[in-house]
Coordinates of all heavy atoms in Angstrom, one line a residue:
M328 N 0.8 -1.2 0.0 CA 0.0 0.0 0.0 C 0.9 1.2 0.0 O 1.8 1.4 0.8 CB -0.9 0.0 1.2 CG -2.1 0.9 1.2 SD -3.2 0.7 -0.2 CE -4.1 2.2 -0.2
T329 N 0.6 2.2 -0.9 CA 1.4 3.4 -1.0 C 0.6 4.6 -0.6 O -0.6 4.7 -1.0 CB 1.9 3.6 -2.5 OG1 2.4 2.4 -3.0 CG2 2.9 4.6 -2.5
D330 N 1.2 5.4 0.2 CA 0.5 6.6 0.6 C 0.7 7.6 -0.5 O 1.8 7.8 -1.0 CB 1.1 7.2 1.9 CG 0.6 6.5 3.1 OD1 -0.5 5.9 3.0 OD2 1.3 6.5 4.2
I331 N -0.4 8.3 -0.9 CA -0.3 9.3 -1.9 C -0.5 10.7 -1.3 O -1.6 10.9 -0.8 CB -1.3 9.0 -3.0 CG1 -1.1 7.7 -3.7 CG2 -1.3 10.1 -4.1 CD1 -2.1 7.2 -4.7
N332 N 0.5 11.4 -1.3 CA 0.4 12.8 -0.7 C 0.4 13.8 -1.8 O 1.3 14.0 -2.5 CB 1.6 13.0 0.3 CG 1.5 14.3 1.0 OD1 0.5 15.0 0.9 ND2 2.5 14.7 1.7
L333 N -0.7 14.5 -1.8 CA -0.9 15.5 -2.9 C -0.7 16.9 -2.3 O -0.8 17.9 -3.1 CB -2.3 15.4 -3.5 CG -2.6 14.1 -4.1 CD1 -4.1 14.0 -4.6 CD2 -1.7 13.9 -5.3
G334 N -0.4 17.0 -1.0 CA -0.2 18.3 -0.5 C -1.4 19.1 -0.4 O -2.5 18.6 -0.5
T335 N -1.3 20.4 -0.1 CA -2.5 21.2 0.1 C -2.6 22.1 -1.1 O -1.6 22.7 -1.6 CB -2.3 22.1 1.3 OG1 -1.9 21.3 2.4 CG2 -3.7 22.7 1.7
A336 N -3.8 22.2 -1.6 CA -4.0 23.1 -2.8 C -4.5 24.5 -2.3 O -5.4 24.6 -1.6 CB -5.1 22.5 -3.7
N337 N -3.8 25.5 -2.7 CA -4.1 26.8 -2.3 C -4.2 27.7 -3.6 O -3.5 27.5 -4.5 CB -3.1 27.5 -1.4 CG -3.2 26.9 0.0 OD1 -4.3 26.8 0.6 ND2 -2.1 26.6 0.5
I338 N -5.1 28.7 -3.5 CA -5.1 29.7 -4.6 C -3.9 30.5 -4.5 O -3.5 30.9 -3.4 CB -6.4 30.6 -4.4 CG1 -7.6 29.8 -4.6 CG2 -6.3 31.7 -5.5 CD1 -8.9 30.6 -4.4
Q339 N -3.2 30.7 -5.6 CA -2.0 31.4 -5.7 C -2.2 32.7 -6.4 O -2.8 32.7 -7.5 CB -0.9 30.6 -6.4 CG -0.1 29.7 -5.5 CD 1.2 29.3 -6.1 OE1 1.3 29.3 -7.3 NE2 2.2 28.9 -5.3
C340 N -1.6 33.8 -5.9 CA -1.6 35.0 -6.6 C -0.8 34.9 -7.9 O 0.3 34.4 -7.9 CB -1.0 36.1 -5.8 SG -0.7 37.7 -6.7
P341 N -1.4 35.2 -9.1 CA -0.7 35.0 -10.4 C 0.5 36.0 -10.5 O 1.3 35.8 -11.4 CB -1.8 35.3 -11.4 CG -2.8 36.0 -10.7 CD -2.8 35.7 -9.3
H342 N 0.5 37.0 -9.7 CA 1.6 38.0 -9.8 C 2.8 37.7 -8.9 O 3.9 37.7 -9.4 CB 1.1 39.4 -9.4 CG 0.2 40.0 -10.5 ND1 0.6 41.1 -11.2 CD2 -1.0 39.6 -11.0 CE1 -0.3 41.4 -12.1 NE2 -1.3 40.5 -12.0
C343 N 2.6 37.3 -7.6 CA 3.7 37.1 -6.7 C 3.8 35.7 -6.2 O 4.7 35.3 -5.5 CB 3.7 38.1 -5.6 SG 2.4 37.9 -4.4
G344 N 2.7 34.9 -6.4 CA 2.7 33.5 -6.0 C 2.3 33.3 -4.5 O 2.3 32.2 -4.0
S345 N 1.9 34.4 -3.9 CA 1.5 34.3 -2.5 C 0.2 33.6 -2.4 O -0.7 33.6 -3.3 CB 1.3 35.7 -1.9 OG 0.6 35.7 -0.7
T346 N 0.0 32.8 -1.3 CA -1.3 32.1 -1.1 C -2.1 32.8 -0.1 O -3.1 32.2 0.4 CB -1.0 30.6 -0.8 OG1 -0.1 30.6 0.4 CG2 -0.3 29.9 -1.9
Q347 N -1.6 33.9 0.4 CA -2.4 34.7 1.4 C -3.3 35.7 0.7 O -2.8 36.5 0.0 CB -1.4 35.3 2.4 CG -0.5 34.4 3.1 CD -1.2 33.6 4.1 OE1 -1.9 34.1 5.0 NE2 -1.0 32.3 4.1
F348 N -4.5 35.7 1.1 CA -5.4 36.7 0.5 C -6.2 37.4 1.7 O -6.6 36.8 2.6 CB -6.4 36.1 -0.5 CG -5.7 35.7 -1.7 CD1 -5.1 34.5 -1.9 CD2 -5.6 36.7 -2.8 CE1 -4.5 34.2 -3.1 CE2 -5.0 36.3 -4.0 CZ -4.4 35.1 -4.1
V349 N -6.3 38.7 1.5 CA -7.0 39.5 2.5 C -8.4 39.8 2.0 O -8.6 40.1 0.8 CB -6.3 40.9 2.6 CG1 -7.0 41.7 3.7 CG2 -4.9 40.7 3.0
Q350 N -9.3 39.5 2.8 CA -10.7 39.8 2.5 C -11.1 41.1 3.2 O -10.6 41.4 4.3 CB -11.7 38.7 2.9 CG -11.5 37.5 2.1 CD -12.2 36.3 2.6 OE1 -13.1 36.5 3.4 NE2 -11.9 35.1 2.2
Q351 N -12.0 41.8 2.6 CA -12.5 43.0 3.4 C -13.2 42.5 4.7 O -13.7 41.4 4.8 CB -13.6 43.7 2.5 CG -12.9 44.7 1.5 CD -13.5 44.7 0.1 OE1 -14.6 44.4 0.0 NE2 -12.6 45.0 -0.8
E352 N -13.1 43.4 5.7 CA -13.5 43.1 7.0 C -14.8 42.5 7.1 O -15.1 41.5 7.9 CB -13.4 44.3 7.9 CG -12.0 44.6 8.4 CD -11.9 45.9 9.1 OE1 -12.9 46.2 9.8 OE2 -10.9 46.6 9.0
T353 N -15.7 43.0 6.4 CA -17.1 42.6 6.5 C -17.4 41.4 5.5 O -18.6 40.9 5.5 CB -18.1 43.7 6.2 OG1 -17.8 44.3 4.9 CG2 -18.0 44.8 7.3
A354 N -16.4 41.0 4.7 CA -16.7 40.1 3.6 C -16.9 38.7 4.1 O -16.2 38.1 5.0 CB -15.5 40.1 2.7
G355 N -18.0 38.1 3.7 CA -18.2 36.7 3.8 C -18.0 36.0 2.5 O -17.7 36.7 1.5
P356 N -18.2 34.7 2.4 CA -18.1 34.0 1.2 C -18.9 34.6 0.0 O -18.4 34.6 -1.1 CB -18.6 32.6 1.5 CG -18.5 32.5 3.0 CD -18.6 33.8 3.5
E357 N -20.0 35.1 0.3 CA -20.9 35.7 -0.8 C -20.2 37.0 -1.3 O -20.3 37.3 -2.5 CB -22.3 36.0 -0.2 CG -23.1 34.7 0.0 CD -23.1 33.8 -1.3 OE1 -23.4 34.3 -2.4 OE2 -22.9 32.6 -1.1
D358 N -19.6 37.7 -0.3 CA -19.0 39.0 -0.7 C -17.8 38.7 -1.6 O -17.5 39.5 -2.6 CB -18.6 39.8 0.5 CG -19.8 40.3 1.3 OD1 -20.7 40.8 0.6 OD2 -19.8 40.1 2.5
V359 N -17.0 37.7 -1.3 CA -15.8 37.4 -2.1 C -16.3 37.0 -3.5 O -15.6 37.4 -4.5 CB -15.1 36.2 -1.5 CG1 -14.0 35.7 -2.4 CG2 -14.5 36.6 -0.1
K360 N -17.4 36.4 -3.7 CA -17.9 36.1 -5.0 C -18.1 37.3 -5.8 O -18.0 37.3 -7.0 CB -19.1 35.2 -4.9 CG -18.9 33.7 -4.8 CD -20.2 33.0 -4.8 CE -20.0 31.7 -4.0 NZ -21.4 31.2 -3.6
Q361 N -18.5 38.4 -5.1 CA -18.9 39.6 -5.8 C -17.7 40.5 -5.9 O -17.6 41.2 -7.0 CB -20.0 40.3 -5.0 CG -21.3 39.5 -5.2 CD -22.5 40.3 -4.7 OE1 -22.4 41.4 -4.1 NE2 -23.7 39.8 -4.8
S362 N -16.9 40.6 -4.9 CA -15.9 41.7 -4.9 C -14.5 41.1 -5.1 O -13.5 41.9 -5.3 CB -15.9 42.5 -3.7 OG -15.7 41.7 -2.5
G363 N -14.3 39.8 -5.0 CA -13.0 39.2 -5.2 C -12.2 39.3 -3.9 O -12.8 39.4 -2.8
A364 N -10.9 39.2 -4.0 CA -10.0 39.3 -2.8 C -8.7 40.0 -3.2 O -8.4 40.1 -4.3 CB -9.7 37.9 -2.4
V365 N -8.0 40.5 -2.1 CA -6.8 41.2 -2.3 C -5.6 40.4 -1.9 O -5.6 39.8 -0.8 CB -6.8 42.6 -1.6 CG1 -5.5 43.3 -1.7 CG2 -8.0 43.4 -2.1
C366 N -4.6 40.3 -2.7 CA -3.4 39.5 -2.3 C -2.7 40.2 -1.2 O -2.4 41.4 -1.2 CB -2.4 39.4 -3.5 SG -0.9 38.7 -3.1
A367 N -2.3 39.4 -0.1 CA -1.6 40.0 1.0 C -0.1 40.2 0.7 O 0.5 41.0 1.3 CB -1.7 39.0 2.2
G368 N 0.4 39.6 -0.4 CA 1.8 39.7 -0.7 C 2.1 41.0 -1.5 O 3.0 41.7 -1.2
C369 N 1.3 41.2 -2.6 CA 1.6 42.4 -3.4 C 0.4 43.4 -3.5 O 0.6 44.4 -4.2 CB 2.0 41.9 -4.8 SG 0.6 41.1 -5.7
G370 N -0.7 43.1 -2.9 CA -1.8 44.0 -2.9 C -2.6 44.0 -4.1 O -3.6 44.8 -4.3
K371 N -2.3 43.1 -5.0 CA -3.1 42.9 -6.3 C -4.5 42.5 -6.0 O -4.7 41.6 -5.2 CB -2.4 41.9 -7.2 CG -3.3 41.3 -8.2 CD -3.1 42.0 -9.6 CE -4.0 41.3 -10.6 NZ -4.5 42.2 -11.6
H372 N -5.5 43.2 -6.6 CA -6.9 42.8 -6.4 C -7.2 41.8 -7.5 O -7.0 42.0 -8.7 CB -7.8 44.0 -6.5 CG -9.2 43.7 -6.4 ND1 -10.0 43.5 -7.5 CD2 -10.0 43.4 -5.3 CE1 -11.3 43.2 -7.1 NE2 -11.3 43.1 -5.8
L373 N -7.7 40.6 -7.0 CA -8.2 39.6 -7.9 C -9.7 39.7 -8.0 O -10.4 39.6 -7.0 CB -7.8 38.2 -7.5 CG -6.3 38.0 -7.5 CD1 -6.0 36.5 -7.1 CD2 -5.7 38.2 -8.9
S374 N -10.2 39.9 -9.2 CA -11.7 39.9 -9.4 C -12.2 38.5 -9.2 O -11.5 37.5 -9.3 CB -12.0 40.4 -10.8 OG -11.6 39.5 -11.8
P375 N -13.5 38.4 -9.0 CA -14.1 37.0 -8.9 C -13.8 36.2 -10.1 O -13.5 35.0 -10.0 CB -15.6 37.3 -8.8 CG -15.7 38.7 -8.2 CD -14.5 39.4 -8.7
A376 N -13.7 36.8 -11.3 CA -13.4 36.0 -12.5 C -12.0 35.5 -12.5 O -11.7 34.3 -12.8 CB -13.6 36.9 -13.8
E377 N -11.1 36.3 -12.0 CA -9.7 35.9 -11.9 C -9.5 34.8 -10.8 O -8.7 33.9 -11.0 CB -8.8 37.1 -11.5 CG -8.6 38.0 -12.7 CD -7.9 39.3 -12.3 OE1 -8.3 40.0 -11.3 OE2 -6.9 39.7 -13.0
L378 N -10.3 34.9 -9.7 CA -10.2 33.9 -8.7 C -10.7 32.6 -9.3 O -10.2 31.5 -9.0 CB -11.1 34.3 -7.5 CG -10.5 35.4 -6.6 CD1 -11.5 35.8 -5.5 CD2 -9.2 34.9 -5.9
D379 N -11.8 32.7 -10.1 CA -12.3 31.5 -10.7 C -11.2 30.8 -11.6 O -11.1 29.5 -11.6 CB -13.5 31.8 -11.6 CG -14.8 31.8 -10.9 OD1 -14.8 31.4 -9.7 OD2 -15.8 32.2 -11.5
I380 N -10.5 31.6 -12.3 CA -9.4 31.0 -13.1 C -8.4 30.3 -12.3 O -7.9 29.2 -12.6 CB -8.7 32.1 -14.0 CG1 -9.7 32.7 -15.0 CG2 -7.4 31.6 -14.6 CD1 -9.2 34.0 -15.7
E381 N -8.0 30.9 -11.2 CA -7.0 30.3 -10.3 C -7.6 29.0 -9.7 O -6.9 28.0 -9.6 CB -6.6 31.2 -9.1 CG -5.9 32.5 -9.6 CD -4.7 32.1 -10.5 OE1 -3.9 31.3 -10.1 OE2 -4.6 32.7 -11.6
V382 N -8.8 29.0 -9.3 CA -9.5 27.8 -8.7 C -9.5 26.7 -9.8 O -9.2 25.5 -9.5 CB -10.9 28.1 -8.3 CG1 -11.7 26.8 -7.9 CG2 -10.9 29.0 -7.0
D383 N -9.8 27.1 -11.0 CA -9.8 26.1 -12.1 C -8.4 25.5 -12.3 O -8.3 24.3 -12.5 CB -10.2 26.9 -13.4 CG -10.7 26.0 -14.5 OD1 -11.6 25.1 -14.1 OD2 -10.3 26.1 -15.6
K384 N -7.3 26.3 -12.2 CA -6.0 25.8 -12.4 C -5.7 24.8 -11.3 O -5.0 23.8 -11.6 CB -5.0 27.0 -12.2 CG -4.7 27.8 -13.5 CD -3.6 28.8 -13.2 CE -3.7 30.0 -14.1 NZ -2.8 31.1 -13.6
I385 N -6.1 25.1 -10.1 CA -5.9 24.1 -9.0 C -6.5 22.8 -9.3 O -6.0 21.7 -9.1 CB -6.4 24.7 -7.6 CG1 -5.5 25.9 -7.2 CG2 -6.4 23.6 -6.6 CD1 -6.1 26.7 -6.0
G386 N -7.8 22.9 -9.8 CA -8.5 21.7 -10.1 C -7.7 20.8 -11.1 O -7.6 19.6 -11.0
K387 N -7.2 21.5 -12.2 CA -6.5 20.8 -13.2 C -5.2 20.2 -12.7 O -4.8 19.1 -13.0 CB -6.2 21.7 -14.4 CG -7.5 22.1 -15.1 CD -7.2 22.6 -16.6 CE -8.5 22.7 -17.3 NZ -9.0 24.1 -17.2
A388 N -4.5 21.1 -11.8 CA -3.2 20.6 -11.3 C -3.4 19.4 -10.4 O -2.6 18.5 -10.3 CB -2.6 21.8 -10.5
L389 N -4.5 19.5 -9.6 CA -4.8 18.4 -8.7 C -5.1 17.1 -9.5 O -4.7 16.0 -9.1 CB -6.0 18.8 -7.9 CG -6.1 18.3 -6.4 CD1 -4.8 18.7 -5.7 CD2 -7.3 18.9 -5.7
Q390 N -5.9 17.2 -10.6 CA -6.2 16.0 -11.4 C -4.9 15.4 -11.9 O -4.7 14.2 -12.0 CB -7.0 16.5 -12.6 CG -8.5 16.6 -12.3 CD -9.3 17.1 -13.5 OE1 -8.8 17.3 -14.6 NE2 -10.6 17.4 -13.2
Q391 N -4.0 16.3 -12.4 CA -2.7 15.9 -12.9 C -1.9 15.2 -11.8 O -1.3 14.1 -12.1 CB -1.9 17.1 -13.4 CG -0.7 16.8 -14.2 CD -1.0 16.0 -15.5 OE1 -1.9 16.4 -16.2 NE2 -0.3 14.9 -15.7
A392 N -1.9 15.8 -10.6 CA -1.1 15.2 -9.5 C -1.7 13.8 -9.1 O -0.9 12.9 -8.9 CB -1.2 16.1 -8.3
V393 N -3.0 13.6 -9.2 CA -3.6 12.4 -8.9 C -3.2 11.3 -9.9 O -2.9 10.2 -9.6 CB -5.2 12.5 -8.8 CG1 -5.8 11.1 -8.8 CG2 -5.6 13.3 -7.6
A394 N -3.3 11.8 -11.2 CA -2.9 10.9 -12.3 C -1.5 10.4 -12.2 O -1.2 9.2 -12.4 CB -3.2 11.6 -13.6
D395 N -0.6 11.4 -11.9 CA 0.8 11.1 -11.7 C 1.1 10.1 -10.6 O 1.8 9.1 -10.7 CB 1.6 12.3 -11.5 CG 1.8 13.2 -12.8 OD1 1.5 12.6 -13.8 OD2 2.3 14.3 -12.7
A396 N 0.4 10.4 -9.5 CA 0.6 9.5 -8.3 C 0.1 8.1 -8.5 O 0.7 7.1 -8.1 CB -0.2 10.2 -7.1
L397 N -1.0 8.0 -9.2 CA -1.6 6.7 -9.5 C -0.7 5.9 -10.5 O -0.4 4.7 -10.3 CB -3.0 6.8 -10.2 CG -4.1 7.1 -9.2 CD1 -5.4 7.3 -10.0 CD2 -4.3 6.0 -8.2
R398 N -0.1 6.6 -11.5 CA 0.8 6.0 -12.4 C 2.0 5.4 -11.7 O 2.4 4.3 -12.0 CB 1.2 7.1 -13.5 CG 1.4 6.5 -14.8 CD 1.7 7.6 -15.9 NE 0.5 8.4 -16.1 CZ 0.6 9.7 -16.1 NH1 1.7 10.4 -15.9 NH2 -0.5 10.4 -16.3
K399 N 2.6 6.2 -10.8 CA 3.7 5.8 -10.0 C 3.3 4.6 -9.1 O 4.1 3.6 -9.0 CB 4.3 6.9 -9.2 CG 5.1 7.8 -10.0 CD 5.6 9.0 -9.1 CE 6.1 10.1 -10.0 NZ 6.1 11.4 -9.4
A400 N 2.2 4.7 -8.5 CA 1.7 3.6 -7.6 C 1.5 2.3 -8.3 O 1.7 1.2 -7.7 CB 0.5 4.1 -6.8
L401 N 1.1 2.4 -9.5 CA 0.8 1.2 -10.3 C 2.0 0.5 -11.0 O 1.9 -0.6 -11.5 CB -0.3 1.5 -11.4 CG -1.7 1.9 -10.8 CD1 -2.6 2.3 -11.9 CD2 -2.3 0.7 -10.0
K402 N 3.1 1.2 -10.9 CA 4.3 0.6 -11.6 C 4.8 -0.6 -10.9 O 4.8 -0.7 -9.7 CB 5.4 1.7 -11.6 CG 5.5 2.4 -12.9 CD 6.7 3.4 -12.9 CE 6.6 4.2 -14.2 NZ 7.5 5.3 -14.2
Ligands
ZN1136 ZN1 0.4 38.9 -5.1

């Protein structure tokens, strides 16, 4: 039996690579969908559409990581 460690998937700032995002004080999940989030590293504001793109990248990267891990485990 092989342990497959895929690590933790975080949204990354496309500008500086930071995974820390600042939300407005009053922001809840619904507000983030509307107003996006601000990178804690470089202050870049990511619109909801840009956040969606990053989330999509994580999904694809995760699928790739699972496929790679399975391929290695099956060797
Ligand atoms: Zn940044």
Side-chain angles (χ1 to χ4, degrees):
M328 195 60 194
T329 315
D330 283 336
I331 300 173
N332 184 7
L333 299 174
T335 315
N337 285 314
I338 296 177
Q339 274 198 335
C340 171
H342 283 249
C343 71
S345 168
T346 54
Q347 302 286 311
F348 287 89
V349 181
Q350 290 171 17
Q351 273 139 28
E352 279 175 32
T353 55
E357 288 307 310
D358 292 314
V359 171
K360 273 183 210 159
Q361 289 191 355
S362 61
V365 175
C366 173
C369 68
K371 158 96 179 149
H372 178 260
L373 294 183
S374 70
E377 287 172 309
L378 286 174
D379 271 353
I380 292 170
E381 295 307 310
V382 170
D383 202 46
K384 277 189 205 164
I385 292 169
K387 290 200 174 93
L389 215 53
Q390 281 176 5
Q391 191 63 46
V393 170
D395 286 349
L397 282 177
R398 214 173 291 132
K399 280 176 196 156
L401 291 175
K402 261 184 190 169

